[in-house]
PDB file of all heavy atoms in Angstrom:
ATOM      1  N   PHE A 228      -9.691   5.059  -0.874  1.00  0.00           N
ATOM      2  CA  PHE A 228      -8.278   5.314  -0.915  1.00  0.00           C
ATOM      3  C   PHE A 228      -8.030   6.797  -1.234  1.00  0.00           C
ATOM      4  O   PHE A 228      -7.143   7.116  -2.067  1.00  0.00           O
ATOM      5  CB  PHE A 228      -7.526   4.361  -1.851  1.00  0.00           C
ATOM      6  CG  PHE A 228      -7.767   2.943  -1.594  1.00  0.00           C
ATOM      7  CD1 PHE A 228      -8.548   2.205  -2.435  1.00  0.00           C
ATOM      8  CD2 PHE A 228      -7.206   2.345  -0.495  1.00  0.00           C
ATOM      9  CE1 PHE A 228      -8.819   0.813  -2.134  1.00  0.00           C
ATOM     10  CE2 PHE A 228      -7.458   0.998  -0.217  1.00  0.00           C
ATOM     11  CZ  PHE A 228      -8.272   0.237  -1.047  1.00  0.00           C
ATOM     12  N   HIS A 229      -8.852   7.644  -0.704  1.00  0.00           N
ATOM     13  CA  HIS A 229      -8.683   9.075  -0.948  1.00  0.00           C
ATOM     14  C   HIS A 229      -8.414   9.866   0.350  1.00  0.00           C
ATOM     15  O   HIS A 229      -9.083  10.826   0.678  1.00  0.00           O
ATOM     16  CB  HIS A 229      -9.964   9.656  -1.585  1.00  0.00           C
ATOM     17  CG  HIS A 229     -10.249   9.151  -2.933  1.00  0.00           C
ATOM     18  ND1 HIS A 229     -11.449   9.281  -3.545  1.00  0.00           N
ATOM     19  CD2 HIS A 229      -9.448   8.489  -3.855  1.00  0.00           C
ATOM     20  CE1 HIS A 229     -11.435   8.714  -4.750  1.00  0.00           C
ATOM     21  NE2 HIS A 229     -10.223   8.210  -4.943  1.00  0.00           N
ATOM     22  N   ASP A 262       0.843  18.386  -1.135  1.00  0.00           N
ATOM     23  CA  ASP A 262       0.088  17.150  -1.450  1.00  0.00           C
ATOM     24  C   ASP A 262      -1.338  17.228  -0.956  1.00  0.00           C
ATOM     25  O   ASP A 262      -1.811  18.287  -0.499  1.00  0.00           O
ATOM     26  CB  ASP A 262       0.831  15.910  -0.930  1.00  0.00           C
ATOM     27  CG  ASP A 262       0.919  15.902   0.583  1.00  0.00           C
ATOM     28  OD1 ASP A 262       0.117  16.561   1.230  1.00  0.00           O
ATOM     29  OD2 ASP A 262       1.829  15.272   1.103  1.00  0.00           O
ATOM     30  N   ALA A 263      -2.071  16.114  -1.035  1.00  0.00           N
ATOM     31  CA  ALA A 263      -3.473  16.146  -0.723  1.00  0.00           C
ATOM     32  C   ALA A 263      -3.791  16.424   0.730  1.00  0.00           C
ATOM     33  O   ALA A 263      -4.929  16.726   1.094  1.00  0.00           O
ATOM     34  CB  ALA A 263      -4.086  14.740  -1.104  1.00  0.00           C
ATOM     35  N   SER A 264      -2.769  16.394   1.594  1.00  0.00           N
ATOM     36  CA  SER A 264      -3.020  16.669   3.005  1.00  0.00           C
ATOM     37  C   SER A 264      -3.321  18.157   3.193  1.00  0.00           C
ATOM     38  O   SER A 264      -3.822  18.545   4.303  1.00  0.00           O
ATOM     39  CB  SER A 264      -1.820  16.296   3.885  1.00  0.00           C
ATOM     40  OG  SER A 264      -0.726  17.062   3.579  1.00  0.00           O
ATOM     41  N   ASN A 273     -12.832  12.345  -7.138  1.00  0.00           N
ATOM     42  CA  ASN A 273     -11.509  11.710  -6.991  1.00  0.00           C
ATOM     43  C   ASN A 273     -10.386  12.728  -6.636  1.00  0.00           C
ATOM     44  O   ASN A 273     -10.546  13.880  -7.087  1.00  0.00           O
ATOM     45  CB  ASN A 273     -11.133  10.910  -8.188  1.00  0.00           C
ATOM     46  CG  ASN A 273     -11.989   9.639  -8.309  1.00  0.00           C
ATOM     47  OD1 ASN A 273     -12.905   9.479  -7.548  1.00  0.00           O
ATOM     48  ND2 ASN A 273     -11.579   8.748  -9.214  1.00  0.00           N
ATOM     49  N   THR A 274      -9.379  12.249  -5.983  1.00  0.00           N
ATOM     50  CA  THR A 274      -8.379  13.203  -5.460  1.00  0.00           C
ATOM     51  C   THR A 274      -7.091  13.293  -6.242  1.00  0.00           C
ATOM     52  O   THR A 274      -6.248  14.093  -5.960  1.00  0.00           O
ATOM     53  CB  THR A 274      -8.032  12.801  -4.028  1.00  0.00           C
ATOM     54  OG1 THR A 274      -7.763  11.384  -3.999  1.00  0.00           O
ATOM     55  CG2 THR A 274      -9.184  13.114  -3.069  1.00  0.00           C
ATOM     56  N   ASN A 275      -6.922  12.350  -7.165  1.00  0.00           N
ATOM     57  CA  ASN A 275      -5.596  12.325  -7.880  1.00  0.00           C
ATOM     58  C   ASN A 275      -5.277  13.588  -8.622  1.00  0.00           C
ATOM     59  O   ASN A 275      -4.241  14.202  -8.456  1.00  0.00           O
ATOM     60  CB  ASN A 275      -5.515  11.091  -8.789  1.00  0.00           C
ATOM     61  CG  ASN A 275      -4.100  10.854  -9.260  1.00  0.00           C
ATOM     62  OD1 ASN A 275      -3.146  11.010  -8.456  1.00  0.00           O
ATOM     63  ND2 ASN A 275      -3.926  10.500 -10.477  1.00  0.00           N
ATOM     64  N   ILE A 276      -6.130  14.007  -9.485  1.00  0.00           N
ATOM     65  CA  ILE A 276      -5.936  15.204 -10.313  1.00  0.00           C
ATOM     66  C   ILE A 276      -5.831  16.439  -9.420  1.00  0.00           C
ATOM     67  O   ILE A 276      -4.946  17.263  -9.608  1.00  0.00           O
ATOM     68  CB  ILE A 276      -6.927  15.293 -11.493  1.00  0.00           C
ATOM     69  CG1 ILE A 276      -6.579  14.208 -12.490  1.00  0.00           C
ATOM     70  CG2 ILE A 276      -6.892  16.687 -12.112  1.00  0.00           C
ATOM     71  CD1 ILE A 276      -7.519  14.067 -13.658  1.00  0.00           C
ATOM     72  N   ALA A 278      -4.688  16.496  -6.487  1.00  0.00           N
ATOM     73  CA  ALA A 278      -3.380  16.465  -5.818  1.00  0.00           C
ATOM     74  C   ALA A 278      -2.281  16.924  -6.798  1.00  0.00           C
ATOM     75  O   ALA A 278      -1.367  17.618  -6.386  1.00  0.00           O
ATOM     76  CB  ALA A 278      -3.099  14.962  -5.346  1.00  0.00           C
TER      77      ALA A 278
HETATM   78  C1  LIG R   1      -5.154   1.934  -4.377  1.00  0.00           C
HETATM   79  C2  LIG R   1      -5.466   3.362  -4.723  1.00  0.00           C
HETATM   80  C3  LIG R   1      -6.246   3.665  -5.768  1.00  0.00           C
HETATM   81  C4  LIG R   1      -6.536   5.013  -6.096  1.00  0.00           C
HETATM   82  N1  LIG R   1      -7.291   5.260  -7.150  1.00  0.00           N
HETATM   83  C5  LIG R   1      -7.491   6.503  -7.503  1.00  0.00           C
HETATM   84  C6  LIG R   1      -8.253   6.849  -8.714  1.00  0.00           C
HETATM   85  O1  LIG R   1      -8.661   5.929  -9.456  1.00  0.00           O
HETATM   86  N2  LIG R   1      -8.476   8.149  -8.968  1.00  0.00           N
HETATM   87  C7  LIG R   1      -8.034   9.162  -8.173  1.00  0.00           C
HETATM   88  O2  LIG R   1      -8.274  10.344  -8.471  1.00  0.00           O
HETATM   89  N3  LIG R   1      -7.324   8.879  -7.046  1.00  0.00           N
HETATM   90  C8  LIG R   1      -7.043   7.599  -6.713  1.00  0.00           C
HETATM   91  N4  LIG R   1      -6.305   7.347  -5.586  1.00  0.00           N
HETATM   92  C9  LIG R   1      -5.902   8.468  -4.751  1.00  0.00           C
HETATM   93  C10 LIG R   1      -4.680   9.194  -5.299  1.00  0.00           C
HETATM   94  O3  LIG R   1      -3.657   8.231  -5.647  1.00  0.00           O
HETATM   95  C11 LIG R   1      -4.180  10.122  -4.134  1.00  0.00           C
HETATM   96  O4  LIG R   1      -5.223  11.066  -3.825  1.00  0.00           O
HETATM   97  C12 LIG R   1      -2.990  10.933  -4.626  1.00  0.00           C
HETATM   98  O5  LIG R   1      -1.961  10.090  -5.043  1.00  0.00           O
HETATM   99  C13 LIG R   1      -2.512  11.793  -3.456  1.00  0.00           C
HETATM  100  O6  LIG R   1      -1.308  12.442  -3.798  1.00  0.00           O
HETATM  101  P1  LIG R   1      -0.292  12.846  -2.689  1.00  0.00           P
HETATM  102  O7  LIG R   1       0.798  13.513  -3.406  1.00  0.00           O
HETATM  103  O8  LIG R   1      -1.015  13.611  -1.652  1.00  0.00           O
HETATM  104  O9  LIG R   1       0.283  11.514  -2.037  1.00  0.00           O
HETATM  105  P2  LIG R   1       1.042  10.212  -2.609  1.00  0.00           P
HETATM  106  O10 LIG R   1       0.687  10.123  -4.081  1.00  0.00           O
HETATM  107  O11 LIG R   1       0.742   9.192  -1.642  1.00  0.00           O
HETATM  108  O12 LIG R   1       2.526  10.717  -2.529  1.00  0.00           O
HETATM  109  C14 LIG R   1       3.238  10.722  -1.313  1.00  0.00           C
HETATM  110  C15 LIG R   1       4.663  10.412  -1.634  1.00  0.00           C
HETATM  111  O13 LIG R   1       5.474  10.681  -0.486  1.00  0.00           O
HETATM  112  C16 LIG R   1       6.419   9.608  -0.391  1.00  0.00           C
HETATM  113  N5  LIG R   1       6.793   9.560   1.040  1.00  0.00           N
HETATM  114  C17 LIG R   1       6.067   9.163   2.060  1.00  0.00           C
HETATM  115  N6  LIG R   1       6.783   9.291   3.233  1.00  0.00           N
HETATM  116  C18 LIG R   1       7.981   9.804   2.876  1.00  0.00           C
HETATM  117  C19 LIG R   1       9.138  10.186   3.623  1.00  0.00           C
HETATM  118  N7  LIG R   1       9.224  10.046   4.972  1.00  0.00           N
HETATM  119  N8  LIG R   1      10.182  10.684   2.953  1.00  0.00           N
HETATM  120  C20 LIG R   1      10.157  10.815   1.580  1.00  0.00           C
HETATM  121  N9  LIG R   1       9.046  10.498   0.854  1.00  0.00           N
HETATM  122  C21 LIG R   1       8.003  10.011   1.496  1.00  0.00           C
HETATM  123  C22 LIG R   1       5.680   8.402  -0.868  1.00  0.00           C
HETATM  124  O14 LIG R   1       6.568   7.388  -1.275  1.00  0.00           O
HETATM  125  C23 LIG R   1       4.901   8.983  -2.048  1.00  0.00           C
HETATM  126  O15 LIG R   1       5.644   8.937  -3.247  1.00  0.00           O
HETATM  127  C24 LIG R   1      -6.010   6.013  -5.272  1.00  0.00           C
HETATM  128  C25 LIG R   1      -5.200   5.685  -4.252  1.00  0.00           C
HETATM  129  C26 LIG R   1      -4.908   4.366  -3.948  1.00  0.00           C
HETATM  130  C27 LIG R   1      -3.974   4.075  -2.773  1.00  0.00           C
END
Side-chain angles (χ1 to χ4, degrees):
F228 307 107
H229 295 164
D262 62 25
S264 67
N273 287 11
T274 48
N275 191 40
I276 288 175

